[in-house]
Amino acid sequence: MQNTPKGLRLQIGIFGRRNAGKSSLLNALARQDAAIVSDTPGTTTDPVEKAMEMLPLGPVLLIDTAGLDDDAARIGNLRIERTRKIFERADLALLVSDANWGTFEEELLASFEARKTSLIVVFNKSDLAPAPAHVLGKLDARGVSHVSLSARTGEGLGALREMILRKAPEDFLSSSRMLGDLVPKGSPVMLITPIDLEAPKGRLILPQVQAIRDTLDHDCYCLVVKENALADALANLKTPPALAVTDSQAFGTVSPIVPETVPLTSFSILLARQKGDLAACAAGAAAIGKLKKNSRVLIAEACSHHPVGEDIGTVKIPNWLRKRCSPDLVIEHAQGHDFPKDLSGYDLVIHCGACTFNRREVLSRILQCSEQGVPFTNYGVAIAFCFGILERALRPFPEALAAYERTVRAE
């Protein structure tokens, strides 16, 4: 997680008065002591940076700053200026206050509004005193997002993480990566696309179309083939494909045919990376191995459709899970935006590729599961696990494979 350059991380600046609890908030978000915390006002004199992975956003850079109300003669104008420079770097600002909201906070708020910086007002130390009601009313009237929490007790941190996800700039959340960055320019990509009852008449399904376009956008070329012609297609290629991508439900047929030397994954797994958090899905898949009699599984789909034949979500995945784990699994379904708020009774959530959702909505669901302690994975990752080839399917994605292996070792 330390290998992502700073410029590619969401940079979250933490600002406010001395002793408002900025360093405590950084440590609470980072889940470790990254900044010195003291009751002595002005302990932080220079910006403190902490690179971390924040589920489900991915790589972020938390920046704790010196109190801008500090005595310039004591810490020096240069250090105050260093803090003010963070204003220009921050993709998202957390304005930290306690119950003592005043002119200083108003001026700081106006400064962020003038810069059009995404902003969340954080009322810290809520365990000691509530945020003033009249201040909350003014912030609501101005459309300013705010949350009350206690960095000391942890109460309210989940709400802050959810708000950070909602306020993160859209260009950070919108990932254009599907497969083009996985293969060298000019190389062949093999797309294995079964045609079954669920395939739209005369068309390919959306993830397959997106994969073709992304291949072309990255100056590669693709061979699209059905699984029953795969062996002949591979034999006729002069150059082995740099990547083979299959429909997840064909893993069992495809994996013995595609040589181990050719990286293999699925359309759904590519979508888990593009639309969500593949590392979280990989870690969540480890929970499949722990499912037993009467375990509850929620299978969620982004779009509402009438199941046709052996539908992947309502028929095939439940059958594979019951064969792999227990015939007495309790499996429930959710479609479209009907995603339960209370997930505490589930042992696992399995989500479709979410090709019709934006990334923010998928990440919000991953965060909701994380906050309630429920593992989250997606169709392709779960199917690869059931077929016993998850490690191979994750091999093109070292970080996701490492997340899965860490989770298995921890269990």
Side-chain angles (χ1 to χ4, degrees), residues 290-296 325-330 347:
K290 298 168 62 178
L291 297 177
K292 53 187 183 297
K293 181 179 179 179
N294 295 326
S295 291
R296 292 182 68 206
C325 304
S326 167
D328 298 312
L329 290 179
V330 178
D347 298 287

Side-chain angles (χ1 to χ4, degrees), residues 241-262:
L243 178 69
V245 184
T246 181
D247 192 286
S248 299
Q249 57 188 307
F251 263 138
T253 302
V254 168
S255 60
I257 300 174
V258 176
E260 285 285 341
T261 54
V262 175

Side-chain angles (χ1 to χ4, degrees), residues 312-380:
I312 184 70
T314 59
V315 178
K316 291 182 178 179
I317 290 179
N319 287 344
W320 290 324
L321 288 173
R322 290 187 170 114
K323 183 178 180 180
R324 171 65 176 77
C325 304
S326 167
D328 298 312
L329 290 179
V330 178
I331 298 177
E332 300 174 18
H333 297 84
Q335 289 188 321
H337 297 283
D338 296 330
F339 194 69
K341 290 184 178 181
D342 183 6
L343 301 165
S344 58
Y346 293 105
D347 298 287
L348 177 66
V349 171
I350 304 177
H351 208 288
C352 72
C355 57
T356 62
F357 274 8
N358 63 24
R359 187 166 181 248
R360 191 185 303 271
E361 188 158 5
V362 179
L363 292 179
S364 180
R365 291 187 173 187
I366 295 175
L367 179 60
Q368 185 179 341
C369 289
S370 174
E371 293 293 335
Q372 298 184 44
V374 181
F376 179 103
T377 192
N378 96 322
Y379 278 17

Side-chain angles (χ1 to χ4, degrees), residues 141-164:
R142 293 164 67 175
V144 177
S145 299
H146 58 83
V147 62
S148 295
L149 57 80
S150 169
R152 184 181 65 84
T153 67
E155 185 175 357
L157 282 173
L160 176 59
R161 291 190 180 97
E162 175 68 26
M163 195 169 288
I164 288 173

Side-chain angles (χ1 to χ4, degrees), residues 30-325:
R31 293 189 172 95
Q32 57 183 278
D33 293 336
I36 298 173
V37 176
S38 170
D39 291 333
T40 303
T43 300
T44 302
T45 56
D46 286 303
V48 175
E49 298 182 351
K50 174 60 182 175
M52 60 174 287
E53 292 282 327
M54 180 179 289
L55 182 71
L57 278 173
V60 303
L61 185 70
L62 297 174
I63 311 170
D64 182 22
T65 63
L68 285 169
D69 64 325
D70 217 329
D71 181 358
R74 187 176 65 81
I75 70 168
N77 288 316
L78 180 59
R79 286 177 173 170
I80 290 181
E81 185 59 27
R82 285 175 182 168
T83 289
R84 291 195 177 277
K85 284 183 178 179
I86 305 300
F87 276 43
E88 310 302 331
R89 289 175 47 192
D91 300 305
L92 174 64
L94 305 183
L95 199 173
V96 183
S97 178
D98 49 24
N100 298 311
W101 181 276
T103 303
F104 172 80
E105 285 76 16
E106 287 289 345
E107 292 175 351
L108 201 55
L109 175 59
S111 180
F112 286 121
E113 289 179 327
R115 288 177 168 81
K116 301 187 184 306
T117 303
S118 292
L119 172 73
I120 301 172
V121 174
V122 180
F123 289 99
N124 194 13
K125 305 181 183 181
S126 62
D127 54 323
L128 301 179
H134 71 283
V135 175
L136 297 180
K138 289 181 180 179
L139 294 177
D140 288 336
R142 293 164 67 175
V144 177
S145 299
H146 58 83
V147 62
S148 295
L149 57 80
S150 169
R152 184 181 65 84
T153 67
E155 185 175 357
L157 282 173
L160 176 59
R161 291 190 180 97
E162 175 68 26
M163 195 169 288
I164 288 173
L165 173 59
R166 294 204 309 268
K167 298 291 290 185
E170 191 63 41
D171 56 355
F172 178 83
L173 289 170
S174 299
S175 172
S176 60
R177 299 182 308 166
M178 190 171 188
L179 60 82
D181 61 318
L182 300 173
V183 294
K185 184 177 179 180
S187 58
V189 175
M190 179 165 282
L191 304 179
I192 303 143
T193 59
I195 303 298
D196 56 19
L197 290 175
E198 292 191 283
K201 186 175 179 59
R203 294 181 289 119
L204 298 175
I205 62 175
L206 182 57
Q208 296 165 355
V209 175
Q210 290 172 325
I212 293 172
R213 176 57 190 261
D214 198 54
T215 302
L216 299 177
D217 284 344
H218 286 83
D219 294 324
C220 296
Y221 60 96
C222 57
L223 174 63
V224 183
V225 62
K226 290 167 59 176
E227 74 279 17
N228 56 6
L230 175 59
D232 288 342
L234 284 168
N236 290 327
L237 281 178
K238 291 183 179 180
T239 303
L243 178 69
V245 184
T246 181
D247 192 286
S248 299
Q249 57 188 307
F251 263 138
T253 302
V254 168
S255 60
I257 300 174
V258 176
E260 285 285 341
T261 54
V262 175
L264 172 66
T265 192
S266 76
F267 295 103
S268 182
I269 290 175
L270 291 174
L271 282 174
R273 183 175 79 133
Q274 184 186 38
K275 289 294 186 77
D277 183 336
L278 181 55
C281 291
I288 299 175
K290 298 168 62 178
L291 297 177
K292 53 187 183 297
K293 181 179 179 179
N294 295 326
S295 291
R296 292 182 68 206
V297 178
L298 176 67
I299 297 179
E301 294 191 326
C303 57
S304 300
H305 66 277
H306 183 72
V308 178
E310 290 201 348
D311 180 67
I312 184 70
T314 59
V315 178
K316 291 182 178 179
I317 290 179
N319 287 344
W320 290 324
L321 288 173
R322 290 187 170 114
K323 183 178 180 180
R324 171 65 176 77
C325 304

